Amino acid sequence: MTERFSITTAIDYTNGPPHLGHTYEKVLADVIARHQRLRGKEVFFLTGVDQHGQKVQQTAEREGTTPQAYVDELTVRFRALWARLDVDYTAWAATTDTDHQTCVRKVLQRLWDDRDPATGQSRWIYKAIRAGHYSIRQEQFLTEKEMGPDGTFGPEWGQVEYREEENYYFRLEPHREWLLALIDARSQAGRPFVVPDFRVAELRNAVEKLAGDLCISRPKVRLSWGIELPFDPDYVTYVWFDALVNYVSFAPGYDPAAEANQTSFEAWLPMWHVIGKDILIPAHGVYWPIMLHALGFTDEQMPTLLVHGWWTVDGEKMSKSLGNVVDPDALADRFGAEPLRYFLMSEATTGRDADFTEERLIGCYNTDLANNLGNLFNRTLTMVQKYRGGRLRRDAATAELDGLFVPDGGSAEQYFTDLAARFSELPPEGNFTEPVLAIARLCNQQIQEQQPWELFKNPAKADVLDAFLYYLAESIRLIAIFISPVLPGAAGQMLDQLNCGSVPDGGTERFWLADARWGVLPHGHRLNAPTPLFPRWNAAKTKL
RNA sequence: GCCAGGGUAGCUCAGCGGUAGAGCAGGGGACUCAUAAGCCCUUGGUCGGGAGUUCGAUUCUCCCCUCUGGCACCA
């Protein structure tokens, strides 16, 4: 059976347009998903939007529209951006979707119905009254630690009122020891629960200090924009049991009412969740695994959390008040979607914060894409056209070139096999651009070394020239395959220029790691004339 | 205050016990197939500071400074 891989992103809150951070996360997940597909896996890739909650309700009211109309409009913008950036998800999560709402209600019902035989009470959910100061803006009760020295609350909380309110709570503490054991076991097994693993200790600390339970409801009288609790129509679900459930509600074949997970659904577990560092603790690192555990998911079915950092702009935190929020659409307008994808993936070290500057984006584009990759394609194809009328000879004396590309004198076959194996083993948080650039650099070096223009002048060296051109053609075909997760569009153009309309063993997929081996282009194969893939960006052009 | 992660060439980072590395940026050179790209050479670092262990420390231990996250406390 085909191996499976599933990956999700956080779902974005539809209270404002998408920014660079949203974009990075989706591109990161897309690149990982494409890499897995390249390896022949069947991929489930879920992303989407979180549309409920008080802020949406309030903004919609303020703008004189309905919450649904308001979120629909923003949702279109998110989807349009992902389409433009070639984010190739297989399922779309929107929390106002009927199936999702049904699933959330079933999940809650199941936990509500899971009774302790001794008391007859639900083992996981209970109702309780809580009194205290409540921030309307932040939708939460405040504790003493938020109170200032003078007994008042800071302006960041907005209007604060004293309130007595009855709500439903989800028990967290009974799962603490289990979660600690899971975190430790996963680290010991070499596949940490949180990647990169330097965040594991952070999460562990948070779990050790876990206290109190999770409030999962809001009275309808003050928040109507949400999913009604199945066991109490006076309440709607508060964010986590709505938003987090999307990971399973939109997955194929999940049925919360079933005793055990269905095999059709289990086949997609465990999942990778790509999230920002701000929502690791407590949402994804604490609430979510505990929710899954209460629902009967096994330890083996628990996800891995891939936690990425944030983007700053010119060294400063992105914020609306600073006015430095980067609009991904504007960047794509100016520089193109693919260069933007490339920049995001090569500039950021997964897990850490990264800085965006326009200079770096342009520098990265010119150096890597125009000068290195693009120019390599252009010069290679041009030489094949000029020296051999566009045709390759596969049967030339390749043995003469063995060892040129490999320090220890290995064969071309071995070289390609090793490269493909190494590329295949890249972890999801790995660097997908540098290994490809390394191949391009090697090719550029070898061109200088072999001096094909001299070989061309010497009829006695005709065989060597043929062999060398074939070697270059195969190398750039390999590059096209390897770079395809990051630059799917450009990689397609690369194969077009190589006249690889359909890849031999690729089946329905155009990019297939199985094709990343030596000697695929047939004898007499005709390459197309080159067109520059990434025209060099210069300052004059920016003024156009 | 506690926990974790950083502090290595101008920039982004790798190395993590045995004479300091890569890419980019800067300087010089030879070449011409190419998007004035590429290639070669090169400038540049007492590897945050101090002490210790060791034949030997960027690499291990301790202390300190500093940045980033998380947690807590005071109020």
Side-chain angles (χ1 to χ4, degrees):
Chain A
M1 197 181 76
T2 310
E3 225 180 312
R4 292 182 174 177
F5 181 82
S6 47
I7 186 166
T8 73
T9 70
I11 50 177
D12 300 318
Y13 197 52
T14 50
N15 194 36
H19 57 61
L20 194 68
H22 295 121
T23 305
Y24 170 66
E25 180 175 288
K26 274 61 192 175
V27 170
L28 174 61
D30 184 56
V31 168
I32 295 168
R34 286 176 185 272
H35 180 241
Q36 296 292 326
R37 287 192 195 109
L38 199 59
R39 297 169 58 181
K41 293 192 189 178
E42 192 178 347
V43 171
F44 173 70
F45 174 17
L46 176 71
T47 187
V49 283
D50 177 14
Q51 301 166 307
H52 286 129
Q54 188 148 338
K55 284 177 198 165
V56 162
Q57 183 178 322
Q58 285 170 344
T59 311
E61 275 167 18
R62 197 164 58 238
E63 299 197 354
T65 182
T66 64
Q68 189 68 57
Y70 178 74
V71 298
D72 282 348
E73 191 187 322
L74 274 164
T75 299
V76 167
R77 293 187 60 175
F78 278 92
R79 295 197 76 152
L81 180 61
W82 305 152
R84 181 175 194 188
L85 291 175
D86 256 330
V87 175
D88 190 14
Y89 50 85
T90 60
W92 178 255
T95 52
T96 55
D97 189 285
T98 314
D99 290 344
H100 171 72
Q101 302 202 34
T102 304
C103 184
V104 166
R105 289 163 58 84
K106 280 184 171 179
V107 161
L108 288 165
Q109 189 70 54
R110 173 179 175 145
L111 296 174
W112 180 250
D113 289 343
D114 190 353
R115 302 281 152 166
D116 183 335
T119 63
Q121 301 292 305
S122 167
R123 294 168 67 198
W124 311 118
I125 297 174
Y126 63 92
K127 197 177 186 185
I129 295 179
R130 185 162 176 198
H133 297 281
Y134 186 86
S135 159
I136 292 172
R137 182 194 289 177
Q138 296 297 331
E139 299 182 49
Q140 61 175 261
F141 278 96
L142 304 177
T143 61
E144 295 74 30
K145 73 178 178 185
E146 274 105 18
M147 193 187 290
D150 55 354
T152 64
F153 295 94
E156 70 273 23
W157 302 107
Q159 188 187 343
V160 174
E161 61 183 34
Y162 187 80
R163 172 179 287 181
E164 229 175 61
E165 196 169 282
E166 193 164 28
N167 270 306
Y168 288 89
Y169 291 84
F170 174 60
R171 292 186 201 282
L172 297 173
E173 291 188 16
H175 303 272
R176 178 173 46 214
E177 296 312 313
W178 163 78
L179 184 51
L180 285 173
L182 175 78
I183 292 168
D184 291 344
R186 288 281 296 269
S187 290
Q188 278 163 26
R191 43 185 203 99
F193 180 55
V194 183
V195 175
D197 62 2
F198 68 79
R199 292 200 186 275
V200 169
E202 222 166 81
L203 174 62
R204 209 181 182 288
N205 287 344
V207 176
E208 273 181 344
K209 288 172 185 153
L210 178 62
D213 295 323
L214 173 65
C215 184
I216 61 166
S217 68
R218 287 294 184 269
K220 254 191 189 171
V221 289
R222 65 185 178 83
L223 177 63
S224 57
W225 184 237
I227 301 172
E228 190 179 282
L229 293 187
F231 41 80
D232 192 333
D234 291 335
Y235 290 86
V236 297
T237 308
Y238 179 58
V239 57
W240 300 120
F241 260 91
D242 181 350
L244 289 169
V245 169
N246 95 85
Y247 298 135
V248 292
S249 69
F250 290 96
Y254 179 60
D255 179 8
E259 271 306 304
N261 287 323
Q262 307 295 295
T263 49
S264 63
F265 171 67
E266 278 182 347
W268 291 106
L269 302 177
M271 293 183 167
W272 282 73
H273 296 312
V274 180
I275 59 172
K277 63 183 185 181
D278 53 321
I279 51 174
L280 170 63
I281 298 167
H284 286 78
V286 183
Y287 302 158
W288 181 232
I290 288 179
M291 286 162 66
L292 291 172
H293 191 229
L295 285 166
F297 282 63
T298 66
D299 287 9
E300 285 304 309
Q301 294 171 335
M302 290 296 150
T304 297
L305 307 176
L306 176 51
V307 182
H308 66 252
W310 286 352
W311 283 83
T312 55
V313 176
D314 296 321
E316 296 199 68
K317 200 169 167 177
M318 251 193 295
S319 78
K320 281 182 189 170
S321 53
L322 280 172
N324 65 349
V325 176
V326 174
D327 175 8
D329 265 306
L331 288 179
D333 284 343
R334 286 187 61 198
F335 302 102
E338 299 249 317
L340 178 57
R341 285 176 64 106
Y342 183 88
F343 170 75
L344 291 171
M345 294 314 296
S346 69
E347 186 71 5
T349 303
T350 307
R352 304 207 186 165
D353 289 353
D355 188 46
F356 172 87
T357 69
E358 201 170 293
E359 293 69 34
R360 287 198 82 89
L361 174 68
I362 292 171
C364 173
Y365 174 87
N366 276 342
T367 302
D368 289 359
L369 296 181
N371 297 352
N372 213 321
L373 271 186
N375 186 50
L376 173 64
F377 269 73
N378 203 36
R379 67 196 303 204
T380 299
L381 294 173
T382 299
M383 285 190 282
V384 174
Q385 292 298 327
K386 281 193 176 177
Y387 301 153
R388 290 296 183 259
R391 286 201 183 273
L392 293 174
R393 280 187 59 209
R394 189 183 188 281
D395 61 355
T398 54
E400 189 160 337
L401 292 170
D402 279 356
L404 283 182
F405 285 64
V406 200
D408 57 6
S411 67
E413 283 88 342
Q414 193 54 49
Y415 177 60
F416 273 48
T417 303
D418 291 348
L419 278 182
R422 245 178 292 155
F423 187 78
S424 167
E425 284 159 14
L426 278 178
E429 71 275 23
N431 185 331
F432 290 90
T433 58
E434 181 48 36
V436 187
L437 260 289
I439 300 170
R441 268 182 229 116
L442 189 59
C443 289
N444 278 322
Q445 283 167 18
Q446 287 304 324
I447 290 173
Q448 194 62 33
E449 185 75 20
Q450 294 307 309
Q451 306 195 335
W453 49 93
E454 295 298 334
L455 295 174
F456 178 60
K457 292 176 192 163
N458 182 354
K461 293 283 189 180
D463 268 6
V464 179
L465 178 59
D466 277 317
F468 184 66
L469 291 176
Y470 187 79
Y471 207 128
L472 284 178
E474 280 293 82
S475 293
I476 63 179
R477 187 178 62 79
L478 195 78
I479 286 173
I481 294 171
F482 283 1
I483 203 65
S484 66
V486 180
L487 301 172
Q493 291 169 32
M494 292 174 183
L495 288 193
D496 287 344
Q497 296 197 7
L498 284 167
N499 195 20
C500 290
S502 60
V503 172
D505 295 343
T508 55
E509 294 283 344
R510 190 164 191 198
F511 302 106
W512 204 248
L513 205 59
D515 294 325
R517 58 188 158 77
W518 171 259
V520 167
L521 291 173
H523 184 67
H525 183 75
R526 179 185 286 282
L527 304 183
N528 289 323
T531 309
L533 288 163
F534 304 103
R536 191 176 161 80
W537 187 274
N538 57 58
K541 218 170 137 189
T542 63
K543 289 171 187 153
L544 292 176

